[in-house]
Amino acid sequence: MKQVALPCGETVPALGQGSWRMGEDPRLRSQEIDALRHGIDLGMTLIDTAEMYGDGAAETLVGEAIQGRREQVFLVSKVYPHNASRRKMEAACNESLKRLHVDAMDLYLLHWPGAVPLAETVASFEDLQRAGKIRHWGVSNLDLKQMKSLRSVPGGAGAQVNQLLYNLGRRGIEWDLLRWLRTQAIPVMAYSPIEQGRLLFKPALVALAKRLGATQAQVAIAWLLAQDDVIANPKTASRQRLEENAGALALSLSPADLRELDAMFPPPSGATPLEML
Ligand SMILES: NC(=O)c1ccc[n+]([C@@H]2O[C@H](COP(=O)([O-])OP(=O)(O)OC[C@H]3O[C@@H](n4cnc5c(N)ncnc54)[C@H](OP(=O)(O)O)[C@@H]3O)[C@@H](O)[C@H]2O)c1
């Protein structure tokens, strides 16, 4: 499995697994657990979840899927902005840990910026680190201005990732945020890497995928994986699509393929407000 280095020096798999919308439909439960476990078998051992997903249902499902395999997994969850305070974060984290059936998570992210000052959120993350409940912390959906504010608060340099909406059709971060993150050696965790399936049907992408003997999802994921500091975490509840997505690791895009993708999905030509889903 290709690895991406975090600022702390640890490495994580470049291809992980998302879990949004998992655990919400009892009829899909065994299939979702099977897909997550199969993903672990294939080396996609980074699993991303959040207290928000299904009001804890996704964390509960992930907890069940990783039973007996905790040591193999790099477990990521997220705290709601309204819980990201000294008063509330510990309780929120405890609830997540209970649902996940673990003593500690590997990475705990601020899901998006809210009303709690970043300095307080960072201090709360550091409390949890000292208590051994989280190993690392990071952020999600912070734009360049917010990342610079974060960098300026005490301990703010400790952020290990910024999880952002980033895929072939959402390249706005390349204008300035991605460049700045690179200067700080902070990787991007690209969420919705296939835009929840919506970007797969562009005729030119269909044609390129066909020529490469790959699927559109594989091309979209391989495009992200072509960058050394990007982690992609597609979500699927299907063993077959999971194997398809894992196949992106073996797809190497040539400079000509990348140019063709740039023509289809142009990079930004100016600053754009950060997009979120
Ligand atoms: N930080 C944030 O604010 C934030 C926001 C959004 C997402 N996320 C995280 O990022 C993860 C991934 O993003 P996402 O779930 O929004 O979108 P995504 O991974 O781009 O797409 C998931 C959707 O695409 C389908 N799919 C997966 N592989 C496919 C393939 N090879 N061909 C066709 N369809 C395929 C899945 O259906 P099946 O399950 O039926 O295969 C699902 O409906 C989330 O699960 C979550 O963990 C974070």
Side-chain angles (χ1 to χ4, degrees):
M1 169 61 72
K2 183 187 169 207
Q3 300 283 309
V4 169
L6 302 178
C8 64
E10 228 172 280
T11 63
V12 296
L15 184 61
Q17 306 187 69
S19 68
W20 193 13
R21 309 244 187 266
M22 283 188 173
E24 295 177 22
D25 182 344
R27 289 166 304 179
L28 295 178
R29 189 167 194 85
S30 58
Q31 193 188 317
E32 290 167 345
I33 290 176
D34 175 68
L36 286 168
R37 289 189 179 153
H38 192 48
I40 297 172
D41 292 337
L42 297 181
M44 296 159 74
T45 53
L46 183 153
I47 299 182
D48 178 77
T49 189
E51 63 171 333
M52 186 193 92
Y53 300 162
D55 277 335
E59 286 183 330
T60 302
L61 183 108
V62 167
E64 198 176 327
I66 65 171
Q67 283 277 310
R69 316 190 67 172
R70 172 68 187 100
E71 298 315 314
Q72 286 171 267
V73 172
F74 190 90
L75 190 55
V76 185
S77 193
K78 310 184 202 79
V79 62
Y80 268 124
H82 62 257
N83 284 336
S85 65
R86 270 220 140 112
R87 201 165 64 79
K88 291 191 172 168
M89 194 193 280
E90 188 180 6
C93 182
N94 285 342
E95 289 304 310
S96 288
L97 293 174
K98 215 186 293 170
R99 286 188 288 265
L100 289 161
H101 280 287
V102 296
D103 298 326
M105 57 182 99
D106 298 294
L107 182 60
Y108 199 32
L109 307 180
L110 170 63
H111 207 148
W112 63 89
V116 178
L118 287 170
E120 181 177 342
T121 296
V122 172
S124 312
F125 279 139
E126 289 177 340
D127 287 345
L128 291 177
Q129 278 181 306
R130 276 189 291 272
K133 293 183 180 185
I134 64 171
R135 295 204 304 112
H136 306 292
W137 65 269
V139 293
S140 178
N141 297 305
L142 262 64
D143 65 17
L144 180 58
K145 197 165 162 233
Q146 291 156 339
M147 282 309 295
K148 286 181 175 171
S149 304
L150 174 69
R151 187 68 185 75
S152 71
V153 306
Q160 299 299 309
V161 299
N162 189 0
Q163 185 174 119
L164 297 164
L165 176 59
Y166 186 38
N167 62 46
L168 275 170
R170 307 269 198 171
R171 299 183 60 175
I173 65 165
E174 289 175 23
W175 184 256
D176 48 13
L177 179 55
L178 185 57
R179 266 185 240 170
W180 186 86
L181 289 168
R182 286 188 168 141
T183 66
Q184 308 293 310
I186 299 174
V188 168
M189 200 177 271
Y191 74 70
S192 308
I194 58 167
E195 187 71 20
Q196 301 178 333
R198 290 183 293 272
L199 69 69
L200 304 183
F201 302 102
K202 194 167 169 130
L205 180 61
V206 175
L208 175 65
K210 196 167 173 204
R211 204 168 69 240
L212 295 173
T215 66
Q216 298 94 289
Q218 287 173 332
V219 174
I221 296 167
W223 177 80
L224 288 166
L225 297 178
Q227 308 178 59
D228 283 342
D229 47 5
V230 174
I231 300 155
N233 59 344
K235 173 264 171 186
T236 180
S238 143
R239 183 179 262 252
Q240 194 189 336
R241 284 192 286 280
L242 183 99
E243 287 178 0
E244 176 188 335
N245 296 345
L249 288 158
L251 177 64
S252 152
L253 299 170
S254 70
D257 300 331
L258 294 171
R259 276 196 300 277
E260 207 172 318
L261 286 166
D262 280 345
M264 265 180 247
F265 302 98
S269 52
T272 44
L274 184 65
E275 296 179 290
M276 281 174 69
L277 279 186

